[in-house]
């Protein structure tokens, strides 16, 4: 079950100035509101009401408890009455979990005929939430501000996005990434500071020699391989040469052995993501393409050629999108198709594209791979459906991580009879000229984490929680403004620490 046992906590700001009756009313309204949020069916997991906070010590106690509770992945605050914000300072200094500030009101409309001063003393979020906003701004506290009536769909949708991202953030704090082999020699963009990544983004990166995986492969039983082949036959259309008795059947048998061994290896290490490299296949018959594709579909993050940053982002984006329509995948900018306003980029990889984004049942095929000097690898071949998605990457700028996000429109692809790999074809927003131009100016990778299920709002919430730079390329992007943003961001991040 996705997000099982996770919670976000709801803390209502108040004070005792208006007397105990007011706090009792605030408490009743908050209970009703949290019940409404949970009963809406629009949120991915449970919101737990933690009572009113009426003093500095109550705020600190609630936030300390949140820090120490594994189930709690974030805090929602709402200032029902005026809650003097100095009482939030110590708690906010200690709070380690993501924060959402909900600016709403218990009553939807003004009760013009009946409203009196008692009503005004109680229902003060219009100014109480501004007082709370100030202290967060003053403290440079990362948070998401959601404004809207608590029963409205748009409000619930924004809270739901943040909850999914907060859950993925918690997931990343215990993420272990295993690299089979190092980053591909000489490649710059896939490398980076793994110490800074663990401090800033939470995940931990290890390396194992491929020989350790080969040792596990040698222990895989024939019965397990046979069962895996049955799974392939059920889930995919098998090309003639890979069916039982086909001339390349042995390559599929090897692929099944690789998949079983890789899953066992990752499970035994408690890993949530992995990388491979065609440079490091000593003792292997072939690059584990099919295994990587199928493990991605189970939620393992993947990066090719040792690209651990993309592996981590793939896992995080898959995690956020659990249960939503539209899958996610590792992809690579493969080749360009110049066609005027419809100019596009073919997205593929030598083998490893996730079948979660397939338009129809994938074909299981075996073909030669003109790189690595190994035997012919098995792979799933498919194209993706049409639709808008989001492509993202994290790069290491030396002094900071930069998240680059591009909204892309997937269009109908064509068959590639001589290049039998899974692929997508997309037009980066606003078009190839500006989209790819901006991506290149920002230093974006040739590898991306792509999702049909997510929008840029998810990644914006992620960057806010992580405290990393985010730069968006969409239909509003112009190159001249984009260059200004890059320059301004350099100044901002240079001064950022001094501002804290
Ligand atoms: Mn690659």
């Amino acid at each position: 079950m996705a997000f099982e046992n996770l919670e976000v906590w709801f803390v209502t700001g108040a004070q005792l100035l208006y007397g105990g009756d007011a706090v009792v009313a605030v408490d009743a309204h908050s209970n009703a509101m949290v019940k409404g949020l949970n009963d809406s069916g629009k949120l991915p997991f449970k919101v737990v009401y933690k009572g009113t906070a009426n003093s500095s010590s109550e705020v600190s106690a609630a936030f300390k408890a949140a820090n120490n509770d594994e189930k709690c992945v974030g805090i929602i605050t709402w200032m029902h009455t005026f809650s003097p914000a100095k009482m939030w300072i110590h708690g906010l200094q200690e709070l380690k979990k993501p924060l959402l500030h909900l600016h709403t009101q218990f009553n939807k409309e003004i009760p013009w005929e009946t409203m009196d001063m008692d009503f005004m003393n109680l229902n003060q979020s219009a100014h109480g939430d501004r007082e709370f906003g100030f202290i967060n701004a003053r403290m440079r506290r990362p948070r998401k501000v959601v404004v809207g009536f608590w029963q409205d769909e748009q409000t619930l949708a924004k809270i739901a996005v943040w909850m999914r991202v907060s859950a993925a953030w918690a997931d990343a704090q215990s993420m272990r990434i295993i690299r089979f082999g190092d980053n591909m020699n000489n490649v710059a963009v896939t490398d980076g500071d793994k110490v800074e990544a663990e401090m800033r983004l939470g995940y931990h990166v290890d390396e194992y020699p491929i020989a350790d995986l080969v040792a596990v492969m040698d222990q895989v039983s024939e019965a397990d391989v046979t069962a895996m082949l049955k799974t392939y036959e059920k889930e995919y259309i098998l090309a003639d040469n890979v069916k039982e008795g086909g001339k390349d059947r042995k390559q599929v048998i090897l692929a099944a052995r690789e998949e079983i061994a890789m899953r066992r290896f990752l499970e035994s290490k408690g890993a949530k993501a992995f990388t491979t490299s065609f440079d490091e296949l000593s003792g292997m018959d072939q690059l584990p393409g099919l295994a990587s594709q199928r493990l991605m579909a189970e939620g393992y993050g993947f990066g090719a050629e040792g690209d651990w940053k993309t592996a981590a982002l793939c896992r995080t984006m898959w995690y956020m999108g659990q249960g939503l329509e539209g899958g996610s995948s590792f992809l690579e900018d493969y080749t360009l198709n110049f066609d005027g306003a419809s100019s596009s980029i073919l997205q593929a990889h030598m083998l490893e594209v996730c079948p979660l984004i397939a338009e129809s049942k994938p074909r299981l095929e075996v073909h030669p791979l003109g790189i690595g000097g190994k035997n012919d690898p098995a792979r799933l071949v498919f194209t993706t459906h049409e639709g808008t998605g989001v492509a993202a990457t994290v790069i290491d700028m030396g002094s900071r991580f930069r998240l680059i996000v591009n909204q892309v429109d997937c269009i109908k692809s064509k068959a590639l009879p001589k290049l039998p790999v899974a692929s997508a074809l997309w037009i980066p927003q606003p078009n190839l000229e500006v989209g790819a131009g901006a991506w290149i100016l920002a230093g974006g990778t040739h590898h991306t984490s792509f999702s049909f299920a997510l929008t840029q709002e998810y990644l914006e919430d992620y960057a806010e929680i992580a405290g990393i730079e985010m730069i968006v390329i969409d239909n509003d992007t112009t190159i001249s403004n984009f260059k200004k943003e890059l320059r301004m961001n350099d100044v901002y991040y240079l001064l950022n620490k001094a501002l804290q």
Side-chain angles (χ1 to χ4, degrees):
M1 272 287 284
F3 309 118
E4 200 174 16
N5 293 325
L6 298 185
E7 312 174 338
V8 291
W9 290 5
F10 192 104
V11 178
T12 303
Q15 63 169 329
L16 298 173
L17 178 71
Y18 311 115
D21 287 354
V23 172
V24 169
V26 165
D27 201 49
H29 288 172
S30 300
N31 262 310
M33 193 182 283
V34 171
K35 186 174 185 309
L37 294 175
N38 284 320
D39 291 348
S40 73
K42 303 286 182 190
L43 303 182
F45 49 94
K46 176 168 64 169
V47 182
V48 178
Y49 178 50
K50 287 287 172 178
T52 60
N54 301 297
S55 66
S56 180
S57 59
E58 286 178 22
V59 170
S60 287
F63 286 3
K64 274 184 194 161
N67 286 342
N68 291 326
D69 192 303
E70 294 231 341
K71 297 189 298 302
C72 173
V73 299
I75 293 267
I76 299 175
T77 52
W78 169 56
M79 305 301 123
H80 189 323
T81 64
F82 195 79
S83 178
K86 287 180 187 172
M87 76 180 223
W88 292 86
I89 292 174
H90 294 287
L92 286 168
Q93 279 173 331
E94 291 183 68
L95 182 62
K96 298 270 195 285
K97 301 280 167 97
L99 176 65
L100 184 146
H101 177 194
L102 179 59
H103 181 46
T104 191
Q105 187 167 276
F106 185 66
N107 52 301
K108 186 172 186 183
E109 289 162 0
I110 295 174
W112 301 98
E113 300 298 324
T114 59
M115 185 162 63
D116 58 10
M117 199 43 83
D118 283 346
F119 179 93
M120 276 317 303
N121 283 338
L122 183 63
N123 296 283
Q124 300 199 352
S125 49
H127 63 278
D129 276 326
R130 282 169 170 75
E131 168 74 356
F132 185 67
F134 166 74
I135 204 63
N136 282 291
R138 173 67 182 81
M139 294 172 71
R140 276 84 183 173
R141 166 79 210 185
R143 79 279 197 201
K144 182 175 193 175
V145 177
V146 174
V147 180
F149 185 57
W150 54 282
Q151 293 174 347
D152 283 353
E153 294 236 340
Q154 309 94 288
T155 310
L156 291 162
K158 285 182 182 147
I159 296 170
V161 167
W162 172 84
M163 287 172 73
R164 286 173 169 276
V165 175
S166 297
W169 178 252
D171 177 68
Q173 303 315 298
S174 61
M175 188 194 302
R176 186 179 190 196
I177 301 166
I178 286 183
R179 294 179 305 147
F180 294 110
D182 203 343
N183 287 69
M184 187 178 166
N185 288 339
N186 280 315
V187 176
V189 76
T190 58
D191 219 330
D193 185 340
K194 296 194 280 292
V195 175
E196 184 67 19
E198 188 155 352
M199 287 164 58
R200 175 60 68 178
L201 302 169
Y203 56 75
H204 176 82
V205 188
D206 279 326
E207 190 267 355
Y208 285 88
I210 201 85
D212 289 9
L213 178 61
V214 172
V216 179
M217 273 174 63
D218 291 343
Q219 288 160 14
V220 174
S221 72
E222 293 305 320
D224 288 344
V225 169
T226 305
M228 187 58 74
L229 292 169
K230 285 218 163 61
T231 302
Y232 296 168
E233 275 152 16
K234 200 172 73 201
E235 294 185 13
Y236 313 118
I237 300 162
L238 270 61
D240 286 342
N241 60 329
V242 303
K243 285 180 180 157
E244 201 159 4
K247 78 172 174 59
D248 290 318
R249 179 71 171 184
K250 62 181 186 310
Q251 296 307 117
V252 180
I253 292 169
L254 277 167
R257 188 173 288 279
E258 287 171 348
E259 178 187 335
I260 295 162
M262 282 177 84
R263 186 177 291 102
R264 274 185 200 161
F265 195 94
L266 295 171
E267 277 172 2
S268 74
K269 304 290 182 198
K272 297 175 182 173
F274 67 101
T275 72
T276 58
S277 172
F278 64 83
D279 269 346
E280 168 54 328
L281 292 175
S282 318
M284 298 273 282
D285 174 78
Q286 51 175 257
L287 188 65
L290 178 62
S292 299
Q293 292 180 292
R294 287 176 46 81
L295 287 165
M296 247 190 281
E298 282 172 29
Y300 287 98
F302 173 77
E305 292 97 49
D307 187 351
W308 48 271
K309 294 195 298 303
T310 301
L313 190 59
C314 281
R315 162 69 184 196
T316 289
M317 287 173 68
W318 172 86
Y319 194 92
M320 290 174 190
Q322 285 178 94
L324 297 177
E325 227 168 279
S328 57
S329 181
F330 167 86
L331 279 169
E332 176 172 278
D333 297 293
Y334 234 42
T335 194
L336 307 175
N337 190 49
F338 286 107
D339 180 22
S342 298
S343 292
S344 56
I345 314 171
L346 182 74
Q347 300 290 323
H349 204 257
M350 54 183 81
L351 302 170
E352 309 92 338
V353 180
C354 178
L356 289 177
I357 61 168
E359 181 174 34
S360 52
K361 201 173 190 178
R363 282 175 59 83
L364 178 56
E365 302 184 13
V366 168
H367 301 278
L369 185 67
I371 194 164
K374 293 278 173 177
N375 286 328
D376 303 350
R379 83 287 305 269
L380 298 174
V381 181
F382 54 87
T383 54
T384 55
H385 58 84
E386 293 168 84
T388 299
V390 67
T393 187
V394 172
I395 58 166
D396 185 343
M397 289 296 288
S399 53
R400 67 182 184 275
F401 290 109
R402 170 182 284 165
L403 173 67
I404 306 164
V405 177
N406 193 185
Q407 300 262 116
V408 299
D409 297 311
C410 289
I411 57 173
K412 193 82 195 149
S413 191
K414 288 183 187 170
L416 301 163
K418 299 286 186 188
L419 184 71
V421 293
S423 67
L425 183 68
W426 74 46
I427 303 174
Q429 288 185 9
N431 53 51
L432 177 69
E433 182 188 350
V434 176
W439 186 276
I440 288 168
L441 281 168
T445 37
H446 52 288
H447 288 165
T448 56
S449 175
F450 167 78
S451 173
F452 275 122
L454 307 180
T455 60
Q456 71 184 49
E457 185 183 358
Y458 288 82
L459 293 151
E460 192 174 332
D461 287 0
Y462 172 78
E464 180 77 17
I465 292 167
I468 62 171
E469 179 186 6
M470 175 186 177
I471 191 140
V472 174
I473 304 164
D474 61 14
N475 279 330
D476 296 328
T477 299
T478 63
I479 291 292
S480 56
N481 280 335
F482 192 78
K483 283 165 125 174
K484 276 180 219 157
E485 192 178 346
L486 291 176
R487 289 193 198 103
M488 291 299 289
N489 283 2
D490 268 338
V491 175
Y492 168 78
Y493 283 96
L494 192 68
L495 297 175
N496 192 33
K497 283 212 158 57
L499 287 167
Q500 302 275 342

